[in-house]
Amino acid sequence: MTERSHPRLPINLLKGWPNPCLLPVAQIKTASASALSYPDISTPGLLYGPDPGYLPLREGIAKWLSRFYEKHLKAPIYTERICITGGASQNLACVLQVFSDPVYTRYIWMVSPTYFRVCPIFEDNAFAGRLRSVPEDDEGIDVGFLRQRLHEEENKTGLSNNRTLKGSQPWRKAYRHIIYAVPTFSNPSSRTMTLRRRQQLVEIARQYDALVITDDVYDQLQWPAKPSISDDPTPGLRRALLPRLVDIDRWFQGGAERHDADGFGNVVSNGSFSKIAAPGVRCGWAEGSESFTWGLSQCGSSASGGAPSQMTSTFITHMLESGDLEKHIYTTLQPTYARRYHKIMNAINHYLLPLDVTLPQSNRDIVGGYFLWLALPKPLIADAVAQRAKAEENLIVGQGPLFAVYGDERKDLERQVRFGHPDPSRWAAMLLLGGTDVPRHNLDLGIDRIDASSNAFTVVGTA
């Protein structure tokens, strides 16, 4: 029977789960068997671990990241800059527990559109009602908009209130503001922040006593924007395109430990093995200044039971030391995601771009991450388009307002429009790779439905 005979079979291009065929089951099996075969590895792995995490994994991550970001580093990353976490989301909660204060910390500034599931983590740390959106332009986060809003809020509140609710500890610091961003292949807009914009953001963070928390979870998932004859990644894709903000903070204008600074720095890099190994390993890392990562390791939940993911850390260590993890990234993930990207881009170019749908940073040579982000022309409304695609084609895409910062007041959105940014109602998002759990033949069906759904892009806005 044809696809048209079964229009109710759902195709979900929103879900960000990896396809089971992309999970490195054999490599993890080998790594776990090896770790459990040697008492000098299995015993510490099964016991409470040191607060900063399993030392061999911290050493392995430092060496691996030093290779990947090599051309952007003045010196290798050293172990003391790394601590082990339970993944990016768990670590964000720990960062807020140690480095924010519900009284002293004024606002959470979030790149918009944002990874919406991160909003409850901020709200759980007593920042409900104090999440503020910052729009993006073609260079990434709009630093002009951010600087103006920070200036307005500082003038409004003044600097007189220095009271904190949390106790003082030598390893703890409360930042006055928190800025959240995904600088490379942003979730969900797919934008990559330029080098100039990254430097500007670090300058702003230093000026306003802000901590920039960056989810650097997509950096290794990169491929050429145009399909090549060979599906194998080029050697250039085994190195980072740009320095992370934490790298810039380490050296830019004297670095995080310059003479007039407190040594904590203004950026923490949030890393995870969820996208490059498997979400179920629940293991990640944080990188920052030595003072920052030590303070992070003293978070009560870590100091009480030791670093998270102690046993899993021994498995990941083996995958790093054997080269299995990098081989998986470069020979399985990058080529597979590249094929999916090019397939769905062909459909978008053919069916949607002629309808004046646009994509950000469309002239890039290198793309990556999980998302393709679409902007709709007037008079189309993202909610209506997504609803019609679901009703008529059972095709699930993410409507843009889903990715708005929680609690954004209408006046904040109107202010963004006055800055020249599109109204979020015109947003639409399509998860391309994380439709990762969409089998390849179903991805073909999904593309067929993009064709059929294109009618919604022409009719919905005027219905």
Side-chain angles (χ1 to χ4, degrees):
M1 233 169 231
T2 67
E3 155 68 358
R4 287 284 168 254
S5 302
H6 291 285
R8 296 298 94 192
L9 177 69
I11 304 294
N12 190 339
L13 296 180
L14 174 63
K15 195 174 181 180
W17 290 24
N19 190 292
C21 72
L22 296 177
L23 297 175
V25 177
Q27 296 91 323
I28 292 176
K29 180 180 179 180
T30 298
S32 61
S34 175
L36 293 171
S37 297
Y38 298 95
D40 59 333
I41 298 176
S42 63
T43 300
L46 290 168
L47 292 173
Y48 295 113
D51 295 342
Y54 186 57
L55 180 59
L57 180 57
R58 294 170 62 212
E59 294 172 338
I61 290 173
K63 292 176 182 177
W64 167 54
L65 294 180
S66 293
R67 290 194 299 273
F68 185 70
Y69 295 103
E70 180 181 16
K71 64 181 181 180
H72 307 296
L73 302 176
K74 294 182 180 179
I77 298 165
Y78 55 92
T79 306
E80 289 75 16
R81 289 181 58 85
I82 304 291
C83 70
I84 304 305
T85 73
S89 294
Q90 182 264 1
N91 184 55
L92 174 58
C94 290
V95 169
L96 294 173
Q97 290 171 44
V98 179
F99 294 106
S100 73
D101 184 275
V103 174
Y104 180 78
T105 303
R106 301 309 195 251
Y107 292 101
I108 309 296
W109 303 91
M110 305 178 66
V111 171
S112 179
T114 198
Y115 170 48
F116 64 97
R117 293 193 184 277
V118 84
C119 295
I121 301 176
F122 291 114
E123 293 190 332
D124 286 349
N125 282 270
F127 291 106
R130 289 190 284 163
L131 309 187
R132 297 291 182 266
S133 62
V134 183
E136 294 177 300
D137 59 22
D138 262 357
E139 288 196 69
I141 187 171
D142 187 335
V143 291
F145 181 93
L146 175 61
R147 192 187 299 274
Q148 176 176 308
R149 294 290 287 116
L150 283 165
H151 179 73
E152 291 171 357
E153 294 301 336
E154 288 297 297
N155 285 342
K156 184 188 305 180
T157 59
L159 299 174
S160 58
N161 181 14
N162 291 319
R163 185 172 66 90
T164 60
L165 186 65
K166 297 179 180 178
S168 176
Q169 297 288 350
W171 40 264
R172 165 176 283 152
K173 171 183 176 175
Y175 288 84
R176 192 170 180 82
H177 297 275
I178 302 291
I179 301 170
Y180 172 80
V182 185
T184 302
F185 311 131
S186 183
N187 176 353
S189 76
S190 78
R191 288 182 175 90
T192 292
M193 202 181 297
T194 64
L195 176 60
R196 180 180 78 130
R197 195 57 58 85
R198 294 173 190 229
Q199 293 171 339
Q200 291 171 331
L201 186 54
V202 169
E203 289 178 322
I204 289 175
R206 292 175 180 178
Q207 179 182 352
Y208 288 96
D209 186 25
L211 172 65
V212 183
I213 303 172
T214 62
D215 273 354
D216 297 318
V217 299
Y218 301 106
D219 289 32
Q220 288 83 15
L221 300 180
Q222 53 182 354
W223 51 86
K226 296 180 180 180
S228 59
I229 297 176
S230 170
D231 284 329
D232 293 331
T234 64
L237 296 185
R238 302 187 182 210
R239 296 294 181 267
L241 293 175
L242 292 163
R244 297 163 298 169
L245 273 84
V246 75
D247 302 320
I248 294 171
D249 191 41
R250 185 179 176 186
W251 286 295
F252 186 60
Q253 296 179 347
E257 299 180 6
R258 59 198 182 281
H259 69 88
D260 60 342
D262 55 23
F264 283 96
N266 291 88
V267 182
V268 58
S269 174
N270 208 2
S272 175
F273 292 103
S274 292
K275 301 296 189 294
I276 53 178
V281 300
R282 309 316 300 148
C283 187
W285 70 93
E287 182 184 343
S289 71
E290 187 172 341
S291 296
F292 189 98
T293 53
W294 172 250
L296 181 57
S297 75
Q298 298 309 294
C299 178
S301 59
S302 297
S304 171
S309 307
Q310 178 71 359
M311 188 71 248
T312 304
S313 292
T314 65
F315 306 163
I316 301 296
T317 300
H318 182 278
M319 294 180 70
L320 279 172
E321 291 177 346
S322 66
D324 283 350
L325 181 64
E326 289 178 273
K327 182 179 179 181
H328 177 65
I329 293 170
Y330 301 134
T331 65
T332 298
L333 297 184
Q334 282 189 355
T336 301
Y337 289 168
R339 286 192 294 271
R340 286 174 173 260
Y341 171 87
H342 295 134
K343 180 180 287 288
I344 205 164
M345 272 302 301
N346 284 339
I348 290 173
N349 286 329
H350 185 73
Y351 300 118
L352 302 185
L353 296 192
L355 305 176
D356 293 327
V357 172
T358 59
L359 294 94
Q361 297 181 328
S362 56
N363 60 345
R364 287 179 292 179
D365 294 326
I366 302 297
V367 294
Y370 266 24
F371 278 87
L372 279 173
W373 187 252
L374 308 175
L376 304 180
K378 293 182 179 181
L380 300 185
I381 302 297
D383 283 341
V385 169
Q387 289 169 11
R388 186 158 184 169
K390 175 67 169 62
E392 296 186 0
E393 296 298 328
N394 218 1
L395 177 67
I396 301 172
V397 297
Q399 57 267 45
L402 177 67
F403 302 93
V405 173
Y406 282 17
D408 256 357
E409 298 178 9
R410 189 66 215 176
K411 63 181 181 181
D412 291 329
L413 300 178
E414 290 171 352
R415 184 185 288 111
Q416 294 181 28
V417 172
R418 289 198 300 272
F419 251 73
H421 296 282
D423 188 314
S425 67
R426 305 292 174 198
W427 293 345
M430 182 177 296
L431 187 61
L432 73 120
L433 311 168
T436 43
D437 75 332
V438 176
R440 187 169 180 178
H441 67 279
N442 278 6
L443 184 63
D444 291 336
L445 299 184
I447 290 171
D448 181 53
R449 292 183 189 180
I450 291 174
D451 176 18
S453 296
S454 63
N455 179 58
F457 285 80
T458 59
V459 179
V460 150
T462 57

